[in-house]
Amino acid sequence: MTVAEWCVFASLMLSLLSIASVKWLRHGVFDNSRPRDPAFYNDPIAARAFGAHQNGLEAFPFFAAAVLLAEFRSSPQNLINELAVLFVIVRIAYVFTYIGNRPTLRSILWSMGFVINIAIFFLPGLRKLLPI
């Protein structure tokens, strides 16, 4: 497996860990028999962690498709890897800013992640223009 493919896995795990960690930390409050109980998400941190989780699930398909498309279309693997690692780093920072209630920085990081995804997605078309 390539580094970028491991980053696809890391991206999925990050979205799951963003909510699982809050459920674990609030284990006395979280009721696993009612995992979607709206009362649990009345807590501001739990609500933001849930938002980060949902956004991670929303961002995942495009990231996975972009990486696989770039790999299948023979884009430079080292560039795919570097952009994928950068995407995961940006997403980690995004989760922390989401849970930490930093909406402006969170929006900037979301935009950066989206631009990175666009770059990965269009790598096959730009292959001839790259000096690699």
Side-chain angles (χ1 to χ4, degrees), residues 4-132:
E5 290 163 359
W6 281 109
C7 287
V8 169
F9 178 72
S11 175
L12 180 63
M13 292 287 85
L14 179 61
S15 69
L16 297 175
L17 289 173
S18 62
I19 192 64
S21 61
V22 172
K23 288 179 178 181
W24 183 77
L25 289 173
R26 299 186 69 221
H27 60 69
V29 179
F30 179 71
D31 181 5
N32 198 41
S33 64
R34 296 178 48 178
R36 294 199 167 102
D37 182 11
F40 176 78
Y41 300 103
N42 286 339
D43 175 71
I45 292 176
R48 289 192 302 270
F50 185 62
H53 164 71
Q54 286 181 313
N55 187 268
L57 293 177
E58 293 163 0
F60 176 76
F62 182 37
F63 176 60
V67 167
L68 294 175
L69 173 73
E71 288 187 341
F72 292 159
R73 301 293 293 171
S74 302
S75 296
Q77 188 63 51
N78 61 334
L79 190 52
I80 299 168
N81 291 343
E82 291 167 359
L83 288 171
V85 168
L86 185 59
F87 177 80
V88 171
I89 291 169
V90 166
R91 289 301 299 185
I92 290 169
Y94 175 86
V95 168
F96 281 113
T97 58
Y98 206 130
I99 294 172
N101 198 23
R102 302 282 186 243
T104 302
L105 182 55
R106 181 185 83 213
S107 294
I108 291 168
L109 290 167
W110 183 91
S111 298
M112 289 173 59
F114 189 70
V115 168
I116 294 166
N117 256 345
I118 295 288
I120 296 169
F121 185 82
F122 284 108
L123 274 178
L126 301 173
R127 178 176 63 223
K128 295 176 184 170
L129 301 175
L130 297 173
I132 300 171

